[in-house]
Amino acid sequence: MRFLIGLLALVLCACTPGNSSETPEPRSSTLDEEVVLERVESEEEAFRAVKALGGLEHAWAMDWLPDGRMLLTERPGRMLLVDNGETTELSNVPAVWAQNQGGLLDVRVAPDYEESGWIYFTHSKQEGNTGGTVLSRARLDGASLTDIEELYRQTPFLGPDYHFGSRIAFLDDGTLLVSTGERGQRRERTVDIPTPTTSVGTTVRLTMDGSVPEDNPFAGSDEGLDAVYAYGHRNQQGMAIHPETGAIWQHEHGPHGGDELNLVEAGNNYGWPAVSYGDTYSDQSPIGGTTAPGITDPVEYWDPSPALSGMAFYTGDKFPNWQGHLFMGALAHQKAMRVELDGQTVSDQEELLRAELGRIRDVATGPDGYLYLLTDAEDGGLFRLEPVE
């Protein structure tokens, strides 16, 4: 039975193949503003779910400009500008490797956007028979991206078309983090992991212009790449900075079981694939034990795997009892998870919306104080959670 569940989770986590490095066909999203769930009672808050936007093709990430307009990515390679429910597809988006789990991924507006105008985004890029995760930035000129710069690319590029990561987070010291997936290297064995000598399965730390901070843990040494901040990750599709402590929280997909929530710190090794709380898909055999000397253990893990994706601390004012709680989307289990932290431990967790909205790809606190969810589907949507009496 567990084998069948594992196969089902694997199928649910897989993404529809697309065309490699081609411009996606134009599509139109639809303004819905439809209440899809009238009332949901949770442990801390009662809320309703409103479908704010439909017709999204494998939406991946969202963020807001200072004026309240939203930027939204679709994995086939579209970046949308959403203004009061009206969407405009931006032109001049770089070509992406839109195949299997690859494509246009995260998007984040720079903290100093009003001065710099920079928008940061990640995508998978192919060269020949290999590819990997790339960080780029651009400015917005009307309905077009301009001043596009590629800042960083995963080293080395590899053949598999899955496990790219990838999330962006900004630190208070003026640097940024990018999670880069391990690219299937437990099975492929093209490079050795876990190690900081490649950026495969790592968290990378850069300055805002893509250069390497001098205080990175391996900068100037022979022990690892200058850009690597932490390593031994699998496929990290969620990352968020604690709004009070500045701590870096990240979750990653496990294999057959073993999704992890990690507190990411400089120079640490998080173990994949030397250790894991999950096991192999084929025969459910253990993968190297659950811990080992020199390995940083997860704060929490889940077995079976929810297939976590997207993560945000709730910092709005609409749900007072959720203040400071961590919210995570899940693909295979098609749910949102609320996690309450007590320092560096999980003190409470709650499952929300299981199989009611679909595969939840991203989670974010909107500037209006509501909690927003993106679903990953051929005809997916943007959903807004609103409090009810």
Side-chain angles (χ1 to χ4, degrees):
M1 177 62 70
R2 193 177 182 208
F3 177 64
L4 292 175
I5 293 172
L7 287 177
L8 177 60
L10 182 60
V11 170
L12 285 168
C13 289
C15 298
T16 304
N19 294 325
S20 171
S21 301
E22 293 182 359
T23 302
E25 292 294 326
R27 278 172 61 107
S28 297
S29 55
T30 58
L31 176 61
D32 285 295
E33 290 294 335
E34 171 194 1
V35 177
V36 294
L37 295 171
E38 292 282 354
R39 185 180 184 87
V40 178
E41 295 281 354
S42 72
E43 293 176 5
E44 301 288 347
E45 297 280 2
F47 62 90
R48 68 178 188 175
V50 178
K51 187 176 184 181
L53 199 65
L56 301 174
E57 184 180 10
H58 296 293
W60 219 91
M62 57 186 151
D63 201 8
W64 285 263
L65 297 167
D67 61 11
R69 292 180 297 168
M70 175 191 283
L71 291 169
L72 189 152
T73 61
E74 293 178 306
R75 190 164 42 79
R78 304 179 197 89
M79 188 179 296
L80 306 178
L81 184 64
V82 184
D83 186 5
N84 290 321
E86 298 296 325
T87 63
T88 301
E89 184 176 338
L90 300 181
S91 62
N92 207 30
V93 176
V96 303
W97 184 18
Q99 182 167 300
N100 197 6
Q101 296 178 9
L104 185 58
L105 305 173
D106 204 12
V107 61
R108 292 297 310 274
V109 174
D112 66 346
Y113 179 84
E114 291 179 308
E115 293 77 38
S116 70
W118 287 118
I119 296 163
Y120 291 76
F121 56 98
T122 55
H123 58 98
S124 54
K125 184 172 184 175
Q126 186 180 37
E127 289 187 350
N129 295 322
T130 64
T133 304
V134 169
L135 171 71
S136 296
R137 70 177 181 178
R139 292 187 170 101
L140 185 62
D141 182 7
S144 178
L145 296 185
T146 187
D147 299 332
I148 299 169
E149 298 179 2
E150 182 180 305
L151 300 182
Y152 185 82
R153 60 171 57 192
Q154 189 176 37
T155 303
F157 273 14
L158 298 168
D161 56 5
Y162 56 93
H163 292 190
F164 294 96
S166 143
R167 295 291 176 181
I168 304 165
F170 300 110
L171 298 176
D172 289 340
D173 62 4
T175 63
L176 62 84
L177 301 169
V178 182
S179 63
T180 65
E182 98 299 345
R183 312 286 283 102
Q185 289 308 294
R186 188 187 72 83
R187 288 179 291 185
E188 300 291 336
R189 303 284 182 167
T190 308
V191 297
D192 290 329
I193 54 173
T195 173
T197 57
T198 75
S199 58
V200 177
T202 69
T203 301
V204 169
R205 178 171 174 255
L206 305 166
T207 66
M208 299 296 280
D209 66 5
S211 57
V212 174
E214 294 180 355
D215 60 346
N216 268 7
F218 305 106
S221 78
D222 295 329
E223 297 178 16
L225 296 182
D226 290 351
V228 171
Y229 186 77
Y231 63 104
H233 301 293
R234 192 168 182 264
N235 187 26
Q236 326 97 291
Q237 292 190 357
M239 181 163 55
I241 309 302
H242 194 287
E244 295 180 359
T245 67
I248 304 162
W249 290 88
Q250 193 177 93
H251 65 56
E252 64 186 63
H253 287 263
H256 185 242
D259 283 14
E260 295 182 1
L261 177 65
N262 287 306
L263 180 60
V264 176
E265 296 179 318
N268 285 11
N269 176 5
Y270 293 84
W272 178 260
V275 299
S276 175
Y277 282 89
D279 49 36
T280 61
Y281 288 108
S282 58
D283 60 6
Q284 290 78 65
S285 60
I287 300 174
T290 57
T291 190
I295 301 299
T296 302
D297 294 329
V299 172
E300 185 65 276
Y301 72 93
W302 290 270
D303 186 6
S305 297
L308 299 172
S309 186
M311 180 164 71
F313 284 96
Y314 179 73
T315 56
D317 58 2
K318 295 294 193 295
F319 296 102
N321 295 325
W322 284 352
Q323 273 284 340
H325 294 188
L326 194 59
F327 285 82
M328 303 182 290
L331 299 170
H333 287 186
Q334 300 187 31
K335 66 184 178 183
M337 293 177 63
R338 181 187 63 83
V339 172
E340 192 171 351
L341 299 171
D342 182 5
Q344 298 183 6
T345 62
V346 172
S347 60
D348 187 34
Q349 55 182 297
E350 180 183 14
E351 181 181 287
L352 304 171
L353 302 170
R354 183 155 185 169
E356 293 184 282
L357 300 181
R359 291 160 49 90
I360 297 176
R361 172 65 73 182
D362 199 16
V363 183
T365 303
D368 53 11
Y370 297 115
L371 191 67
Y372 284 83
L373 309 175
L374 275 179
T375 58
D376 175 31
E378 182 72 23
D379 184 13
L382 170 69
F383 295 85
R384 184 175 63 243
L385 304 190
E386 302 176 348
V388 295
E389 295 296 328

mmCIF file of all heavy atoms in Angstrom, residues 135 137 151-152 174-176 204-214 216 226-227:
data_model
loop_
_atom_site.group_PDB
_atom_site.id
_atom_site.type_symbol
_atom_site.label_atom_id
_atom_site.label_comp_id
_atom_site.label_asym_id
_atom_site.label_seq_id
_atom_site.Cartn_x
_atom_site.Cartn_y
_atom_site.Cartn_z
ATOM 1 N N LEU A 135 19.348 32.867 -11.851
ATOM 2 C CA LEU A 135 18.785 34.070 -11.244
ATOM 3 C C LEU A 135 19.026 35.244 -12.176
ATOM 4 O O LEU A 135 20.158 35.492 -12.609
ATOM 5 C CB LEU A 135 19.438 34.354 -9.892
ATOM 6 C CG LEU A 135 19.091 35.703 -9.256
ATOM 7 C CD1 LEU A 135 17.639 35.716 -8.755
ATOM 8 C CD2 LEU A 135 20.047 36.039 -8.111
ATOM 9 N N ARG A 137 17.560 39.527 -13.147
ATOM 10 C CA ARG A 137 16.786 40.677 -12.702
ATOM 11 C C ARG A 137 16.474 41.558 -13.898
ATOM 12 O O ARG A 137 17.141 41.498 -14.934
ATOM 13 C CB ARG A 137 17.514 41.462 -11.609
ATOM 14 C CG ARG A 137 18.757 42.231 -12.059
ATOM 15 C CD ARG A 137 19.332 43.020 -10.895
ATOM 16 N NE ARG A 137 20.516 43.783 -11.300
ATOM 17 C CZ ARG A 137 21.209 44.595 -10.493
ATOM 18 N NH1 ARG A 137 20.821 44.742 -9.219
ATOM 19 N NH2 ARG A 137 22.266 45.254 -10.933
ATOM 20 N N LEU A 151 22.276 37.192 -13.327
ATOM 21 C CA LEU A 151 23.168 37.414 -12.202
ATOM 22 C C LEU A 151 23.914 36.170 -11.760
ATOM 23 O O LEU A 151 25.048 36.257 -11.276
ATOM 24 C CB LEU A 151 22.380 37.968 -11.008
ATOM 25 C CG LEU A 151 21.648 39.295 -11.221
ATOM 26 C CD1 LEU A 151 20.972 39.720 -9.931
ATOM 27 C CD2 LEU A 151 22.604 40.372 -11.708
ATOM 28 N N TYR A 152 23.261 35.002 -11.860
ATOM 29 C CA TYR A 152 23.886 33.788 -11.350
ATOM 30 C C TYR A 152 23.278 32.579 -12.032
ATOM 31 O O TYR A 152 22.079 32.569 -12.320
ATOM 32 C CB TYR A 152 23.689 33.665 -9.831
ATOM 33 C CG TYR A 152 24.416 32.482 -9.237
ATOM 34 C CD1 TYR A 152 25.768 32.573 -8.934
ATOM 35 C CD2 TYR A 152 23.763 31.282 -8.994
ATOM 36 C CE1 TYR A 152 26.451 31.482 -8.408
ATOM 37 C CE2 TYR A 152 24.436 30.199 -8.462
ATOM 38 C CZ TYR A 152 25.781 30.301 -8.183
ATOM 39 O OH TYR A 152 26.459 29.218 -7.678
ATOM 40 N N GLY A 174 21.141 43.466 3.066
ATOM 41 C CA GLY A 174 21.284 43.885 1.678
ATOM 42 C C GLY A 174 21.742 42.795 0.737
ATOM 43 O O GLY A 174 22.078 43.073 -0.417
ATOM 44 N N THR A 175 21.728 41.547 1.189
ATOM 45 C CA THR A 175 22.058 40.419 0.319
ATOM 46 C C THR A 175 20.785 39.635 0.018
ATOM 47 O O THR A 175 19.721 39.896 0.588
ATOM 48 C CB THR A 175 23.103 39.496 0.961
ATOM 49 O OG1 THR A 175 22.555 38.928 2.170
ATOM 50 C CG2 THR A 175 24.376 40.269 1.292
ATOM 51 N N LEU A 176 20.912 38.665 -0.876
ATOM 52 C CA LEU A 176 19.771 37.817 -1.212
ATOM 53 C C LEU A 176 20.195 36.360 -1.230
ATOM 54 O O LEU A 176 21.384 36.035 -1.385
ATOM 55 C CB LEU A 176 19.156 38.225 -2.549
ATOM 56 C CG LEU A 176 19.981 38.133 -3.832
ATOM 57 C CD1 LEU A 176 19.956 36.723 -4.421
ATOM 58 C CD2 LEU A 176 19.486 39.125 -4.863
ATOM 59 N N VAL A 204 22.332 29.633 -2.126
ATOM 60 C CA VAL A 204 23.365 30.558 -2.587
ATOM 61 C C VAL A 204 23.074 31.944 -2.017
ATOM 62 O O VAL A 204 21.922 32.377 -1.978
ATOM 63 C CB VAL A 204 23.383 30.588 -4.127
ATOM 64 C CG1 VAL A 204 24.238 31.725 -4.656
ATOM 65 C CG2 VAL A 204 23.882 29.255 -4.673
ATOM 66 N N ARG A 205 24.107 32.642 -1.580
ATOM 67 C CA ARG A 205 23.959 34.016 -1.074
ATOM 68 C C ARG A 205 24.775 34.966 -1.936
ATOM 69 O O ARG A 205 25.967 34.739 -2.188
ATOM 70 C CB ARG A 205 24.411 34.105 0.382
ATOM 71 C CG ARG A 205 24.341 35.526 0.982
ATOM 72 C CD ARG A 205 24.602 35.463 2.479
ATOM 73 N NE ARG A 205 24.700 36.770 3.110
ATOM 74 C CZ ARG A 205 25.837 37.343 3.519
ATOM 75 N NH1 ARG A 205 27.001 36.695 3.344
ATOM 76 N NH2 ARG A 205 25.835 38.521 4.092
ATOM 77 N N LEU A 206 24.119 36.042 -2.384
ATOM 78 C CA LEU A 206 24.723 37.009 -3.288
ATOM 79 C C LEU A 206 24.398 38.434 -2.839
ATOM 80 O O LEU A 206 23.454 38.651 -2.075
ATOM 81 C CB LEU A 206 24.187 36.818 -4.715
ATOM 82 C CG LEU A 206 24.307 35.428 -5.337
ATOM 83 C CD1 LEU A 206 23.439 35.331 -6.590
ATOM 84 C CD2 LEU A 206 25.767 35.120 -5.674
ATOM 85 N N THR A 207 25.155 39.387 -3.340
ATOM 86 C CA THR A 207 24.749 40.779 -3.198
ATOM 87 C C THR A 207 23.659 41.056 -4.226
ATOM 88 O O THR A 207 23.363 40.231 -5.093
ATOM 89 C CB THR A 207 25.925 41.737 -3.424
ATOM 90 O OG1 THR A 207 26.343 41.645 -4.793
ATOM 91 C CG2 THR A 207 27.105 41.381 -2.516
ATOM 92 N N MET A 208 23.060 42.225 -4.157
ATOM 93 C CA MET A 208 21.942 42.527 -5.039
ATOM 94 C C MET A 208 22.359 42.619 -6.498
ATOM 95 O O MET A 208 21.521 42.502 -7.397
ATOM 96 C CB MET A 208 21.258 43.819 -4.597
ATOM 97 C CG MET A 208 20.673 43.748 -3.186
ATOM 98 S SD MET A 208 19.336 42.543 -3.005
ATOM 99 C CE MET A 208 17.969 43.482 -3.673
ATOM 100 N N ASP A 209 23.658 42.831 -6.778
ATOM 101 C CA ASP A 209 24.107 42.869 -8.166
ATOM 102 C C ASP A 209 24.702 41.551 -8.635
ATOM 103 O O ASP A 209 25.250 41.449 -9.732
ATOM 104 C CB ASP A 209 25.101 44.016 -8.392
ATOM 105 C CG ASP A 209 26.411 43.831 -7.632
ATOM 106 O OD1 ASP A 209 26.607 42.765 -6.989
ATOM 107 O OD2 ASP A 209 27.252 44.749 -7.661
ATOM 108 N N GLY A 210 24.577 40.513 -7.806
ATOM 109 C CA GLY A 210 25.029 39.187 -8.197
ATOM 110 C C GLY A 210 26.446 38.842 -7.805
ATOM 111 O O GLY A 210 26.896 37.714 -8.054
ATOM 112 N N SER A 211 27.167 39.763 -7.181
ATOM 113 C CA SER A 211 28.520 39.448 -6.730
ATOM 114 C C SER A 211 28.459 38.680 -5.411
ATOM 115 O O SER A 211 27.392 38.510 -4.814
ATOM 116 C CB SER A 211 29.351 40.722 -6.585
ATOM 117 O OG SER A 211 28.727 41.633 -5.702
ATOM 118 N N VAL A 212 29.603 38.199 -4.953
ATOM 119 C CA VAL A 212 29.652 37.328 -3.775
ATOM 120 C C VAL A 212 30.028 38.138 -2.535
ATOM 121 O O VAL A 212 31.048 38.834 -2.538
ATOM 122 C CB VAL A 212 30.665 36.189 -3.983
ATOM 123 C CG1 VAL A 212 30.816 35.369 -2.716
ATOM 124 C CG2 VAL A 212 30.238 35.294 -5.139
ATOM 125 N N PRO A 213 29.246 38.062 -1.474
ATOM 126 C CA PRO A 213 29.620 38.729 -0.226
ATOM 127 C C PRO A 213 30.907 38.136 0.348
ATOM 128 O O PRO A 213 31.107 36.927 0.332
ATOM 129 C CB PRO A 213 28.433 38.443 0.702
ATOM 130 C CG PRO A 213 27.298 38.087 -0.207
ATOM 131 C CD PRO A 213 27.926 37.405 -1.386
ATOM 132 N N GLU A 214 31.763 39.000 0.870
ATOM 133 C CA GLU A 214 33.047 38.533 1.372
ATOM 134 C C GLU A 214 32.910 37.644 2.598
ATOM 135 O O GLU A 214 33.814 36.846 2.892
ATOM 136 C CB GLU A 214 33.942 39.736 1.700
ATOM 137 C CG GLU A 214 34.347 40.554 0.475
ATOM 138 C CD GLU A 214 35.237 41.722 0.840
ATOM 139 O OE1 GLU A 214 35.460 41.950 2.051
ATOM 140 O OE2 GLU A 214 35.714 42.418 -0.083
ATOM 141 N N ASN A 216 30.652 35.252 3.059
ATOM 142 C CA ASN A 216 30.087 33.923 2.809
ATOM 143 C C ASN A 216 30.996 32.852 3.401
ATOM 144 O O ASN A 216 32.227 33.025 3.437
ATOM 145 C CB ASN A 216 29.914 33.688 1.302
ATOM 146 C CG ASN A 216 28.539 34.097 0.814
ATOM 147 O OD1 ASN A 216 27.745 34.673 1.534
ATOM 148 N ND2 ASN A 216 28.264 33.822 -0.450
ATOM 149 N N ASP A 226 32.461 30.098 -3.665
ATOM 150 C CA ASP A 226 32.319 31.351 -2.932
ATOM 151 C C ASP A 226 30.859 31.705 -2.675
ATOM 152 O O ASP A 226 30.522 32.272 -1.630
ATOM 153 C CB ASP A 226 32.981 32.491 -3.708
ATOM 154 C CG ASP A 226 34.493 32.390 -3.738
ATOM 155 O OD1 ASP A 226 35.045 31.536 -3.012
ATOM 156 O OD2 ASP A 226 35.125 33.159 -4.487
ATOM 157 N N ALA A 227 29.973 31.377 -3.613
ATOM 158 C CA ALA A 227 28.581 31.803 -3.514
ATOM 159 C C ALA A 227 27.749 30.919 -2.585
ATOM 160 O O ALA A 227 26.662 31.322 -2.146
ATOM 161 C CB ALA A 227 27.937 31.828 -4.898
#
